[in-house]
Amino acid sequence: MEEKMMVQRFTRSQRVQHFLLLISFIILIITGLALKFHDSWLGKLVINLEGGVIARGIFHRFAAVLLIFVAIYHFFYIIFTRYAHEEFLLMLPKFKDFKDAFQNVAFTLGLSSEHPKIDKYAPQDKFQYWAVVAGSFLMIITGLVLWYQTQAMLVLPKWAIDITRVMHSYQGVIIAVVILLWHLYIVHLNPKRFPMSRIWIDGKVSLEELKVEHPLEYERKYQGVADEKN
Amino acid sequence: MKKIRIIIYLCFFLISLSVHGLTQELPSNQECRHCHSNPNLKKVLTDGRVISEYVDFDLFYTSVHKKQACVYCHIDATNFPCKNLRKVNCQRCHYKGNLAGAPDLIKYKEYGESVHGRATALGDVKAPMCQDCHGSHYIFDKADTLSRTNKEHIPQTCGACHVNIYSVYKISVHGEALRSKHILAAPSCADCHGEHNIKEHIDPKSKVFLTQVSVTCARCHANMELIKKYDIPVEPVETYRESFHGVAIKFGAKTVANCSSCHEVHAIFKSDDPRSSIYVDNIPKTCGKCHPGASENFAKGKIHINPAKKEAGIIYYVSQFFKYLTLSVMLALIIYIILDLRKKLIVKRKGEE
């Protein structure tokens, strides 16, 4: 079998950021859900495995600091590197995304025979990116308010803190649900990818897959190369 | 075995015979009465305290020990004048299987392990023994209002030694309810601290140990019958257990608040009472004990809230919104996965054809 031609799709910095994000999300979700579901046997087990409720809090804050670090790093990465800035521009929602998303739904339902032609980021990719950005932002803000609640209450009344707790708690669950059901389905459990896509490790994807999944990116970057080869 | 038992019975028989023989020569109640019915009979102790030696025989003859002779308890009162009598040992009669028919209370073990019993065992003469709480000559059934262990009298009984605590308790919401309003459901000392098994509050076995406080308070404050009858706020215990304080204490944290951290130990008042630690103006100070720098914003909003109940106000609506948002996100994603898998299956089948 002919060796597949692999192309680099994500830089090392992007992969490291993704990895740190993944570590912090996993710790945050495990420690957070354990507290939310402290009444269930699983919640009890996890809290005790984490070394009690105080240690749980320390783990959660440690992971939160990691998340904040990644967020700040990502922000500067976009501002100060040409590559990331271009990537960011590709990530911005455009009118085409709504059209593509609509067509994607139609295709999935069998109402359209054509899959939308996608550039580097499909509408669902963009949506997930922005969900992560918005989710992390809200979680960091609400989390900091709860972390420094005495200081926060110099400005906020007690009921606002209670709302913050409810928001932080439920947003955490929603983020966990989105990651478990959507992101993990796309990159792991999806029959096409199972057991997983290796892209998050080496950042590479085969040219054939790129051509099918991201035809516009393929045309933009590799059409010439491929033609030359032939 | 049988022989040994017979020997033991014989011994008992002989001992009781000899005891009987002794009592024949002992003074009768009438003789005691000669002196001890004088209200002015006093004794000066070695430490200079003067105690009355008067006995109200009329009252004594209505007590549970009305049929007992003085010398049954004061066994060393054999000669006149009976000087330097030792403290009466109640266990002479009150033990399991006693022949005198005295209630065989096995509370002694509990008492021996209690803070009072241990202090007595270590030789602390101030520590209470049976008669200090139950009374000496005038012991009545605890249902009797004359009894020192009657629920309404317990605070005074304990307060005889615990003076400062008593002075705080008696004006607290619990003390007022029990003493002024005669509400017997209100707690006396024993309801929170136990009776014979009283432990120090730093003893993990204590009913008022920091992890046990919410359990002890819950006996009344989560009792729906009492809550309805006396119009007590509905779910303080449940909401506390769901709060961070309650969860943390359940998982072994030692530095978080329990009920009495905020509501005080004995000086418990209603929230609308300015003396209360949870009166709106006092909340910053109360919270500030653990949260240094607590502002008056700590008092803006209810403390005991259940986000699942409408009484929580805006918090209820926010949490309802998120509840349905979470459910719809889950549902949408599950539908998405099913549809996506279905489509992939169709495409695959077409490819195979």
Side-chain angles (χ1 to χ4, degrees):
Chain A
M1 198 183 131
E2 202 183 326
E3 201 170 304
K4 282 181 181 171
M5 191 181 165
M6 302 299 278
V7 290
Q8 193 76 31
R9 219 161 157 255
F10 292 117
T11 63
R12 185 196 280 157
S13 176
Q14 280 174 311
R15 280 176 279 139
V16 168
Q17 286 175 51
H18 174 255
F19 185 71
L20 294 179
L21 190 70
L22 176 155
I23 296 287
S24 77
F25 266 34
I26 287 174
I27 298 175
L28 286 166
I29 287 173
I30 290 175
T31 54
L33 290 187
L35 183 62
K36 184 164 177 72
F37 299 104
H38 62 89
D39 268 341
S40 70
W41 65 269
L42 190 60
K44 277 186 191 125
L45 179 75
V46 173
I47 291 181
N48 288 326
L49 283 178
E50 286 160 358
V53 77
I54 300 293
R56 185 217 70 84
I58 294 169
F59 279 124
H60 196 75
R61 285 165 175 81
F62 168 80
V65 169
L66 185 61
L67 175 65
I68 294 169
F69 169 77
V70 175
I72 293 171
Y73 181 87
H74 185 67
F75 182 70
F76 285 118
Y77 182 62
I78 291 167
I79 291 186
F80 292 117
T81 69
R82 177 177 290 274
Y83 169 76
H85 194 73
E86 282 168 3
E87 284 278 274
F88 181 74
L89 292 177
L90 282 174
M91 212 30 120
L92 288 174
K94 300 191 176 60
F95 179 68
K96 182 180 178 294
D97 293 318
F98 295 98
K99 248 171 45 183
D100 287 353
F102 191 72
Q103 199 181 337
N104 203 353
V105 171
F107 176 76
T108 307
L109 290 174
L111 300 173
S112 161
S113 55
E114 237 180 291
H115 200 272
K117 284 185 107 183
I118 303 295
D119 200 332
K120 185 158 182 180
Y121 298 112
Q124 63 266 36
D125 299 336
K126 292 188 184 185
F127 185 86
Q128 283 187 27
Y129 173 81
W130 286 108
V132 166
V133 170
S136 302
F137 182 75
L138 283 171
M139 291 306 274
I140 288 170
I141 297 294
T142 52
L144 283 173
V145 167
L146 295 174
W147 189 348
Y148 295 103
Q149 49 179 289
T150 308
Q151 287 83 343
M153 269 200 262
L154 292 173
V155 191
L156 298 171
K158 161 109 189 354
W159 57 263
I161 302 288
D162 292 327
I163 291 178
T164 311
R165 180 175 290 112
V166 169
M167 283 169 67
H168 193 78
S169 167
Y170 271 110
Q171 279 164 10
V173 174
I174 292 175
I175 291 172
V177 163
V178 169
I179 289 174
L180 283 173
L181 285 181
W182 198 1
H183 191 62
L184 290 191
Y185 170 73
I186 288 177
V187 298
H188 287 286
L189 299 176
N190 187 326
K192 262 203 288 186
R193 303 253 191 273
F194 191 81
M196 71 173 180
S197 155
R198 287 180 53 83
I199 192 161
W200 68 286
I201 297 173
D202 56 17
K204 285 178 182 154
V205 67
S206 77
L207 202 55
E208 287 158 56
E209 194 185 324
L210 189 78
K211 196 174 174 181
V212 177
E213 303 254 313
H214 302 275
L216 291 180
E217 185 188 8
Y218 175 80
E219 280 167 27
R220 193 157 50 81
K221 288 189 192 160
Y222 304 103
Q223 186 75 69
V225 187
D227 286 350
E228 262 173 40
K229 259 199 155 182
N230 295 337
Chain B
M1 272 314 280
K2 235 180 182 176
K3 267 187 186 168
I4 297 173
R5 207 178 274 173
I6 289 168
I7 289 169
I8 292 174
Y9 280 138
L10 253 174
C11 286
F12 268 110
F13 181 66
L14 286 174
I15 290 168
S16 57
L17 261 188
S18 62
V19 168
H20 187 71
L22 281 171
T23 51
Q24 289 292 307
E25 299 159 22
L26 288 172
S28 69
N29 284 12
Q30 274 309 316
E31 285 172 80
C32 297
R33 217 170 162 166
H34 280 310
C35 304
H36 290 279
S37 59
N38 174 8
N40 296 322
L41 191 69
K42 286 190 181 82
K43 173 163 91 171
V44 182
L45 296 180
T46 44
D47 59 3
R49 277 189 297 149
V50 178
I51 57 166
S52 168
E53 294 206 306
Y54 165 69
V55 177
D56 183 341
F57 278 85
D58 292 336
L59 191 56
F60 172 73
Y61 285 126
T62 61
S63 81
V64 292
H65 291 140
K66 57 191 168 198
K67 288 185 181 153
Q68 310 301 323
C70 304
V71 288
Y72 285 179
C73 299
H74 297 286
I75 51 166
D76 44 357
T78 46
N79 297 307
F80 177 81
C82 37
K83 278 197 170 156
N84 301 325
L85 298 191
R86 275 180 300 160
K87 250 192 161 175
V88 167
N89 177 7
C90 304
Q91 251 175 303
R92 273 190 71 248
C93 294
H94 291 278
Y95 59 88
K96 201 169 187 187
N98 70 79
L99 298 168
D104 53 343
L105 300 169
I106 29 175
K107 303 283 186 192
Y108 293 103
K109 194 164 170 283
E110 283 184 9
Y111 169 77
E113 289 164 359
S114 78
V115 63
H116 293 142
R118 284 214 305 261
T120 306
L122 289 171
D124 185 345
V125 289
K126 283 185 187 163
M129 292 170 69
C130 315
Q131 52 269 59
D132 292 301
C133 301
H134 291 273
S136 39
H137 299 111
Y138 323 116
I139 298 175
F140 301 93
D141 187 89
K142 68 178 176 187
D144 194 323
T145 48
L146 285 170
S147 170
R148 284 165 65 94
T149 53
N150 177 268
K151 186 157 184 181
E152 283 193 60
H153 286 180
I154 284 176
Q156 279 130 293
T157 303
C158 301
C161 297
H162 300 278
V163 183
N164 293 335
I165 293 172
Y166 176 60
S167 65
V168 172
Y169 166 82
K170 71 177 176 188
I171 54 165
S172 78
V173 66
H174 292 145
E176 286 269 295
L178 185 63
R179 286 159 37 85
S180 314
K181 298 177 189 161
H182 305 286
I183 297 172
L184 288 179
S188 73
C189 314
D191 291 289
C192 303
H193 294 276
E195 295 172 347
H196 297 96
N197 56 352
I198 297 173
K199 303 273 199 296
E200 256 185 300
H201 72 278
I202 47 171
D203 185 333
K205 283 188 207 151
S206 169
K207 289 175 80 175
V208 293
F209 184 64
L210 54 93
T211 56
Q212 289 303 307
V213 170
S214 71
V215 180
T216 299
C217 298
R219 284 175 53 226
C220 298
H221 288 274
N223 179 334
M224 286 318 283
E225 243 174 71
L226 289 182
I227 283 170
K228 272 188 198 143
K229 195 167 169 195
Y230 298 107
D231 194 24
I232 301 171
V234 180
E235 36 186 26
V237 177
E238 193 189 321
T239 51
Y240 166 74
R241 285 186 184 150
E242 281 301 307
S243 78
F244 179 74
H245 291 150
V247 175
I249 214 158
K250 191 176 85 178
F251 285 96
K254 298 268 186 282
T255 50
V256 293
N258 57 47
C259 313
S260 51
S261 313
C262 307
H263 295 272
E264 279 296 329
V265 182
H266 297 109
I268 301 169
F269 298 99
K270 280 190 180 178
S271 60
D272 55 7
D273 187 330
R275 293 173 296 176
S276 170
S277 59
I278 54 155
Y279 182 66
V280 68
D281 291 347
N282 298 335
I283 281 182
K285 195 178 146 223
T286 300
C287 298
K289 287 194 290 185
C290 301
H291 301 273
S295 66
E296 65 275 15
N297 278 332
F298 274 70
K300 290 181 188 160
K302 275 194 224 160
I303 304 286
H304 288 283
I305 45 155
N306 181 352
K309 291 261 169 85
K310 267 200 175 148
E311 292 90 57
I314 184 166
I315 298 148
Y316 165 78
Y317 293 103
V318 171
S319 84
Q320 287 298 305
F321 166 74
F322 274 107
K323 189 169 127 189
Y324 289 108
L325 183 65
T326 311
L327 284 175
S328 29
V329 167
M330 270 173 126
L331 199 67
L333 287 175
I334 288 168
I335 292 172
Y336 157 78
I337 289 175
I338 292 170
L339 287 177
D340 194 64
L341 285 172
R342 177 181 152 271
K343 183 68 196 175
K344 288 209 165 73
L345 203 70
I346 293 169
V347 171
K348 200 182 163 200
R349 275 207 196 126
K350 268 192 183 162
E352 276 166 6
E353 269 168 20

